[in-house]
């Protein structure tokens, strides 16, 4: 059988075209993921700078001012220093658990960003169970903390890991019940649907007004989940022993540091999505008619405006969290557990029952 050379060239060119399409497809999949990771990294750097500046203002002292303009590159300088520090391993500890623990803590939080809508068109995965995926994935972080404490072969680190797991479990249940109440109000667990349900009535359609009790419980529980003052018992900075981080140094310690700020950022974003209307401006059309007209005509400009609105609401909540850290004293462990089990859990259950009753009566 004789095969024409033109046919061979056509087959080869077709195979090359298909391989190029596959490469382009992989690149277009990776572009939004890498963009989100870059944005998250910049967001963490801004949060660290804001915390130092706000704490300096509250304590009436000078904050970072040498690394870059207004000290904005101080967090980057600290991260570079940690990257080049010696990475120590405990001689009698479990090195595998010791090394895997920080990675689990960071990866479990990074996965939560995949269901956060920064705009109607800007979300990695619009899942029907978006909010519950966040809760399920973030509940893996205490496993990493336990592994870190156990792998350190240090009784203080192990006790710190147990304390972190106990605190996380105590406050995850009220947090989940508050999210379930929002899902019932919105008739969906998708983060995009929850934001869209709040956009029907503008500013007064926010779940903040329909779920004020749930918002307060969610706010307290999210602070406890992030291990922020007054709930930073697993990693009490003023103590001589730093909990599960005692034996860590270098980049592994830096991963725990990054994980705490990633968790704070993702919690603030979910407060914005669940209670503050997400990317919706929530202003009457009469006040800014030109902005609404431009948003309708240009999708790119509209997406940028939506991202800016989401981040503005998020950083407002971040300011509250940072100010709370430098204002309130730390709770004792018995006070912390009593608050979670004896107060927040019954209140969140009652809020869920009220929400369910109101939804049934409205049918």
């Amino acid at each position: 059988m004789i095969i024409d050379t033109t046919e061979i060239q056509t087959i080869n060119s077709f195979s090359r075209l298909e391989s190029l399409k596959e490469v382009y497809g992989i690149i277009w999949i990776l572009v939004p993921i890498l963009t989100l990771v870059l944005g998250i990294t910049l967001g963490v750097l801004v949060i660290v700078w804001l915390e130092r500046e706000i704490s300096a203002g509250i304590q009436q002292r000078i904050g970072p001012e040498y690394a870059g303009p207004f000290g904005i590159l101080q967090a980057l300088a600290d991260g570079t220093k940690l990257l080049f520090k010696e990475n120590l391993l405990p001689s009698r500890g479990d090195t595998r658990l010791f090394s895997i623990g920080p990675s689990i803590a960071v990866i479990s939080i990074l996965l939560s960003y995949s269901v956060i809508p920064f705009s109607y068109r800007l979300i990695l995965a619009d899942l029907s169970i978006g909010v519950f995926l966040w809760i399920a994935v973030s509940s893996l972080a205490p496993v990493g903390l336990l592994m870190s404490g156990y792998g350190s072969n240090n009784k203080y680190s192990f006790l710190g890991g147990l304390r972190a797991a106990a605190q996380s479990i105590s406050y995850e249940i009220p947090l989940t019940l508050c999210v379930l109440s929002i899902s019932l109000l919105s008739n969906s667990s998708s983060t995009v649907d929850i934001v869209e349900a709040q956009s029907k009535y503008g500013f007064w359609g926010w779940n903040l007004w329909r779920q004020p009790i749930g918002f307060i419980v969610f706010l307290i529980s999210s602070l406890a989940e992030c291990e922020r003052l007054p709930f930073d018992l697993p990693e009490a900075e003023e103590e001589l022993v730093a909990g599960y981080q005692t034996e860590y140094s270098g980049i592994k310690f830096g991963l725990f540091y990054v994980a705490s700020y990633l968790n704070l950022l993702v919690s603030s974003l979910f407060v914005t999505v669940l209670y503050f209307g997400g990317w919706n401006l929530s202003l009457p059309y009469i006040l800014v008619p030109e902005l609404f007209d431009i948003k309708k005509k240009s999708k790119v400009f509209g997406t940028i405006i939506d991202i800016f609105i989401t981040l503005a609401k998020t950083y407002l909540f971040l300011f509250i969290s940072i100010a709370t850290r430098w204002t309130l004293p730390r709770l004792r462990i018995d006070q912390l557990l009593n608050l979670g089990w004896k107060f927040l859990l019954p209140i969140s259950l009652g809020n869920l029952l009220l929400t369910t009753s109101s939804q049934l009566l409205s049918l």
Side-chain angles (χ1 to χ4, degrees):
M1 184 177 65
I2 301 173
I3 301 177
D4 193 1
T5 54
T6 56
E7 293 181 1
I8 296 174
Q9 291 176 354
T10 305
I11 292 170
N12 290 335
S13 62
F14 180 76
S15 62
R16 290 195 200 96
L17 184 63
E18 289 297 318
S19 61
L20 284 175
K21 285 183 178 179
E22 291 178 1
V23 171
Y24 286 141
I26 294 171
I27 290 173
W28 280 114
I29 291 172
L30 292 176
V31 163
I33 297 173
L34 294 175
T35 305
L36 182 60
V37 170
L38 180 61
I40 292 167
T41 306
L42 291 175
V44 168
L45 293 176
V46 172
I47 293 171
V48 175
W49 177 76
L50 276 177
E51 176 143 40
R52 292 180 170 182
E53 287 290 337
I54 293 169
S55 64
I58 291 173
Q59 297 173 347
Q60 295 183 349
R61 58 180 174 81
I62 300 173
E65 58 176 348
Y66 294 110
F70 304 105
I72 199 167
L73 298 178
Q74 185 62 51
L76 189 62
D78 292 341
T80 307
K81 181 184 70 173
L82 285 174
L83 187 63
F84 288 101
K85 273 187 174 291
E86 185 179 1
N87 187 18
L88 301 176
L89 296 173
S91 58
R92 297 184 180 180
D94 191 329
T95 54
R96 287 179 298 178
L97 294 180
F98 187 82
S99 301
I100 293 172
S103 304
I104 291 179
V106 173
I107 291 170
S108 62
I109 298 169
L110 280 175
L111 289 174
S112 305
Y113 286 89
S114 61
V115 295
I116 294 176
F118 294 89
S119 169
Y120 183 78
R121 306 176 187 88
L122 192 60
I123 179 173
L124 281 183
D126 182 15
L127 303 178
S128 58
I129 53 166
V131 287
F132 291 107
L133 177 70
W134 165 55
I135 293 171
V137 170
S138 61
S139 63
L140 295 175
V143 177
L145 306 185
L146 268 175
M147 291 169 65
S148 303
Y150 181 77
S152 299
N153 193 24
N154 182 334
K155 60 183 178 181
Y156 298 108
S157 298
F158 186 52
L159 286 173
L162 290 175
R163 196 159 54 173
Q167 177 172 324
S168 180
I169 292 168
S170 301
Y171 286 88
E172 267 181 10
I173 300 173
L175 191 78
T176 307
L177 292 175
C178 293
V179 171
L180 186 57
S181 301
I182 296 295
S183 297
L184 285 173
L185 276 180
S186 307
N187 294 319
S188 175
S189 297
S190 167
T191 49
V192 175
D193 293 343
I194 289 171
V195 175
E196 287 295 305
Q198 298 176 73
S199 64
K200 295 178 182 178
Y201 305 104
F203 176 74
W204 298 110
W206 287 2
N207 289 328
L208 173 67
W209 314 118
R210 298 195 290 173
Q211 288 280 309
I213 299 173
F215 169 70
I216 295 171
V217 174
F218 189 94
L219 185 66
I220 298 172
S221 301
S222 61
L223 284 177
E225 283 287 305
C226 298
E227 299 173 8
R228 302 279 298 181
L229 265 169
F231 308 105
D232 68 332
L233 288 172
E235 181 211 341
E237 291 179 348
E238 288 81 3
E239 294 179 5
L240 294 176
V241 180
Y244 54 84
Q245 301 183 11
T246 305
E247 302 294 336
Y248 281 91
S249 63
I251 191 60
K252 289 189 177 70
F253 177 81
L255 285 176
F256 279 124
Y257 190 77
V258 169
S260 65
Y261 283 101
L262 285 174
N263 204 6
L264 180 62
L265 180 59
V266 77
S267 299
S268 305
L269 284 166
F270 269 103
V271 169
T272 301
V273 169
L274 296 178
Y275 292 98
F276 285 86
W279 64 80
N280 290 308
L281 188 58
S282 304
L283 290 175
Y285 181 81
I286 305 170
L287 296 179
V288 279
E290 296 85 3
L291 181 62
F292 282 89
D293 291 336
I294 296 173
K295 280 187 67 175
K296 288 179 181 178
K297 294 177 182 177
S298 174
K299 291 182 179 180
V300 176
F301 182 76
T303 303
I304 293 172
I305 291 296
D306 292 342
I307 295 171
F308 177 78
I309 293 168
T310 303
L311 292 179
K313 294 177 181 178
T314 301
Y315 277 92
L316 173 64
F317 175 72
L318 282 168
F319 174 79
I320 297 172
S321 302
I322 293 169
T324 303
R325 174 181 179 181
W326 299 98
T327 306
L328 299 179
R330 180 180 296 114
L331 297 179
R332 296 196 313 265
I333 186 66
D334 59 325
Q335 294 173 334
L336 181 138
L337 294 177
N338 284 336
L339 177 65
W341 290 106
K342 294 183 179 180
F343 290 95
L344 295 185
L345 180 58
I347 290 171
S348 58
L349 274 172
N351 180 61
L352 179 61
L353 288 174
L354 285 174
T355 306
T356 308
S357 303
S358 64
Q359 289 295 99
L360 288 174
L361 290 173
S362 63
L363 292 177

